[in-house]
Amino acid sequence: MQLSIYCNTPYAKEISYLFAKNPNNVHERHEKGHAVRFIYHKLTDHEVEATIFVTPDPLALTQQERAYDITHYINDRGFATSSIFLSLIRKMLGTALNGKPQEQYATFAEQAFPFTFEFGPVATSLSDEEITQLFAPLGFQVDIEAISEAQRARFIKISAFTTLKQALQQIFVLIPVMDDYKHYFIDETERERIERYGEGWLEQHPKKDFIYKKALRFRHLIGSEPGITTKISLNTQRYEAIVAQVKKLPHQSVVDLGAGEGKLTALLSELSTIQELIALEPSEAAIRKATKRFEALDTPIIPQIQWGSLFYYDQTLANKDILILCEVIEHINEERLPKIIAMLLQQYAPKALIITTPNADYNKVYALEEMRHDDHRFEWTRQQFENWCAEMVQNTPYMTSFYGIGEHHQTHGTPTQMCIFKRTEGS
């Protein structure tokens, strides 16, 4: 299974830097027992041609703890250009896929060139016409070659004047649509990846509904189809609310303070606009779990994880765009908080600090007589939280704004409350 990329342009050598691969070397890595290789066939002043291909280990497809294919040996599946193939090459093509080469070549990542992509064999039940309808609306000239009269396996060639980043992202969305059997179950991360790769083109695609239906064919496992609201956990709502606020703020550098096992940080890593993402955590056990989580990511930025505590100053955290304390402060003795917040706002001086904490008013909705967690040192009502935040920003260049997270109760508000401390301009 392979993907070849060709371009005839006076900027051929500059395009090679978009892959972040030295043309003098054969690049090889192993993903879950399978060999992934990237090679240049040609690199001149006017032509660049490269291929990424996978030599699969059929036994590895079934011997992993989470086997790729729950039906195991399905004929030629392990050797087809499928969703398995994409999962194996994603890291090798990470720089090109996310459009983040070295700074001096960044403009070429946003520039269109006459690219040709060839990939296969693709095992699909779609007709040639249906395959063409996936790529042609995006401006591609499509050529399809069947290996046999049965046309089960085909090689596909597409050509267009496009950016490398967008073309690769479109291929990564559409190959799973053609795939007769997707190798992994769908979760919210997969939906978010489709939305990220589909940004700017998928919503306008005439086959959008068909693409979503095929790409999210196991959508019953997450309880909804695109556009249909479903009840999700408060934890997920909390993370999504934070990410939504991050998007509205300057956010090239973001620090998740008390990151735990890294779930929020992993979600933040889906934002292609973040240039630096740090997960700070004092627990060694949590760091190990977060490290494992981050190693499995194939997002625009892989988070940096480091040991650290809110009780000690760390100069590497100063002057970041956003600091986040998600459900952290209630685990700290109340009398210690003012000193911590003073360090964050005055010494670290971020452009914004986001804090979330339980709303004690809402405990009545849960019929709770005690705090929500044994390790909570306190839980504040909405008024107590607002008063505390107002006290924390006295004599600082910060202003506060408040938001609720979760299902709203007319009397008791929402289960989680959020405050954003935003530094005023010019301060």
Side-chain angles (χ1 to χ4, degrees), residues 397-409:
Y398 288 86
M399 58 186 301
T400 58
S401 52
F402 297 89
Y403 304 88
I405 301 173
E407 187 174 351
H408 185 269
H409 185 278

Side-chain angles (χ1 to χ4, degrees), residues 234 237-238 240-242 244-245 327 355-359 362 382 385-386 401-409 412-420:
L234 176 59
Q237 292 180 67
R238 190 182 296 125
E240 291 178 348
I242 291 173
Q245 292 297 334
E327 306 299 287
I355 296 179
T356 71
T357 191
N359 166 23
Y362 202 85
R382 288 166 291 174
F385 184 49
E386 291 186 18
S401 52
F402 297 89
Y403 304 88
I405 301 173
E407 187 174 351
H408 185 269
H409 185 278
H412 305 300
T414 56
T416 296
Q417 49 193 340
M418 172 194 291
C419 179
I420 299 180

Side-chain angles (χ1 to χ4, degrees), residues 117-378:
F117 302 86
E118 294 186 65
F119 51 90
V122 175
T124 180
S125 59
L126 298 186
S127 67
D128 287 358
E129 181 181 2
E130 288 173 317
I131 293 174
T132 300
Q133 289 172 351
L134 293 176
F135 291 98
L138 303 174
F140 288 103
Q141 173 68 41
V142 183
D143 295 298
I144 303 171
E145 179 184 355
I147 294 178
S148 66
E149 292 184 4
Q151 292 195 345
R152 170 170 170 75
R154 278 162 279 181
F155 281 91
I156 299 173
K157 179 180 178 181
I158 58 174
S159 302
F161 195 74
T162 181
T163 67
L164 178 62
K165 170 186 173 181
Q166 178 163 279
L168 286 175
Q169 291 184 350
Q170 290 166 342
I171 289 170
F172 268 65
V173 169
L174 296 178
I175 283 180
V177 173
M178 296 183 284
D179 195 353
D180 279 340
Y181 186 90
K182 224 172 176 190
H183 78 275
Y184 52 86
F185 288 151
I186 304 303
D187 58 14
E188 284 295 338
T189 300
E190 177 69 7
R191 185 196 296 278
E192 290 156 5
R193 181 180 295 119
I194 291 172
E195 292 176 350
R196 173 161 56 85
Y197 287 171
E199 185 176 358
W201 64 271
L202 184 51
E203 283 301 312
Q204 289 75 43
H205 199 293
K207 303 291 287 184
K208 177 189 70 174
D209 292 342
F210 176 78
I211 291 170
Y212 269 118
K213 181 179 179 180
K214 296 286 283 185
L216 299 174
R217 66 196 69 181
F218 294 132
R219 60 193 177 276
H220 60 278
L221 295 176
I222 57 174
S224 69
E225 298 184 23
I228 298 178
T229 302
T230 185
K231 188 173 182 178
I232 58 178
S233 70
L234 176 59
N235 211 35
T236 299
Q237 292 180 67
R238 190 182 296 125
Y239 294 157
E240 291 178 348
I242 291 173
V243 172
Q245 292 297 334
V246 167
K247 289 179 180 179
K248 299 175 184 179
L249 298 163
H251 60 269
Q252 288 191 341
S253 56
V254 179
V255 183
D256 184 5
L257 300 167
E261 297 177 10
K263 293 181 181 179
L264 171 59
T265 314
L267 188 59
L268 287 165
S269 73
E270 295 281 345
L271 299 182
S272 59
T273 40
I274 293 181
Q275 302 296 320
E276 180 185 32
L277 180 58
I278 299 173
L280 189 81
E281 172 58 37
S283 166
E284 294 289 352
I287 287 176
R288 286 193 294 271
K289 292 180 180 179
T291 299
K292 187 175 182 180
R293 184 186 304 278
F294 297 160
E295 287 174 350
L297 293 175
D298 48 57
T299 47
I301 185 169
I302 302 302
Q304 307 168 41
I305 188 162
Q306 64 187 62
W307 183 92
S309 170
L310 292 173
F311 300 117
Y312 304 100
Y313 175 74
D314 183 345
Q315 63 179 359
T316 66
L317 304 180
N319 302 312
K320 305 301 183 185
D321 287 331
I322 300 176
L323 303 181
I324 300 171
L325 286 170
C326 176
E327 306 299 287
V328 171
I329 63 171
E330 63 272 12
H331 294 273
I332 301 171
N333 289 333
E334 195 171 341
E335 63 272 13
R336 304 188 74 175
L337 284 176
K339 186 176 181 180
I340 291 173
I341 301 302
M343 179 179 69
L344 298 183
L345 297 181
Q346 298 173 26
Q347 293 180 270
Y348 291 165
K351 292 180 181 177
L353 168 66
I354 299 175
I355 296 179
T356 71
T357 191
N359 166 23
D361 293 327
Y362 202 85
N363 289 352
K364 293 179 181 178
V365 179
Y366 294 138
L368 286 174
E369 298 295 334
E370 64 281 336
M371 289 188 283
R372 299 184 199 174
H373 193 282
D374 291 342
D375 190 53
H376 286 184
R377 311 303 170 87
F378 63 86

Side-chain angles (χ1 to χ4, degrees), residues 15-164:
I15 287 175
S16 71
Y17 284 95
L18 302 184
F19 296 112
K21 301 288 183 291
N22 188 326
N24 297 314
N25 300 328
V26 174
H27 301 270
E28 180 174 337
R29 64 186 301 156
H30 286 79
E31 295 286 345
K32 296 181 171 64
H34 312 284
V36 183
R37 298 180 178 91
F38 181 99
I39 62 171
Y40 286 91
H41 302 287
K42 183 183 295 185
L43 181 58
T44 68
D45 290 339
H46 292 275
E47 288 183 286
V48 56
E49 183 177 9
T51 295
I52 184 167
F53 62 97
V54 176
T55 304
D57 179 351
L59 292 177
L61 290 173
T62 63
Q63 289 177 344
Q64 299 292 331
E65 180 181 352
R66 294 177 64 187
Y68 273 119
D69 196 331
I70 61 174
T71 53
H72 303 315
Y73 293 98
I74 294 186
N75 300 322
D76 58 359
R77 172 150 183 79
F79 298 88
T81 300
S82 62
S83 52
I84 293 177
F85 173 69
L86 297 181
S87 70
L88 296 174
I89 70 171
R90 189 174 274 119
K91 288 183 180 178
M92 183 73 86
L93 283 180
T95 300
L97 188 60
N98 295 312
K100 290 190 175 182
Q102 295 178 11
E103 186 175 354
Q104 60 266 43
Y105 300 104
T107 56
F108 294 98
E110 304 300 326
Q111 187 172 339
F113 297 99
F115 280 106
T116 295
F117 302 86
E118 294 186 65
F119 51 90
V122 175
T124 180
S125 59
L126 298 186
S127 67
D128 287 358
E129 181 181 2
E130 288 173 317
I131 293 174
T132 300
Q133 289 172 351
L134 293 176
F135 291 98
L138 303 174
F140 288 103
Q141 173 68 41
V142 183
D143 295 298
I144 303 171
E145 179 184 355
I147 294 178
S148 66
E149 292 184 4
Q151 292 195 345
R152 170 170 170 75
R154 278 162 279 181
F155 281 91
I156 299 173
K157 179 180 178 181
I158 58 174
S159 302
F161 195 74
T162 181
T163 67
L164 178 62

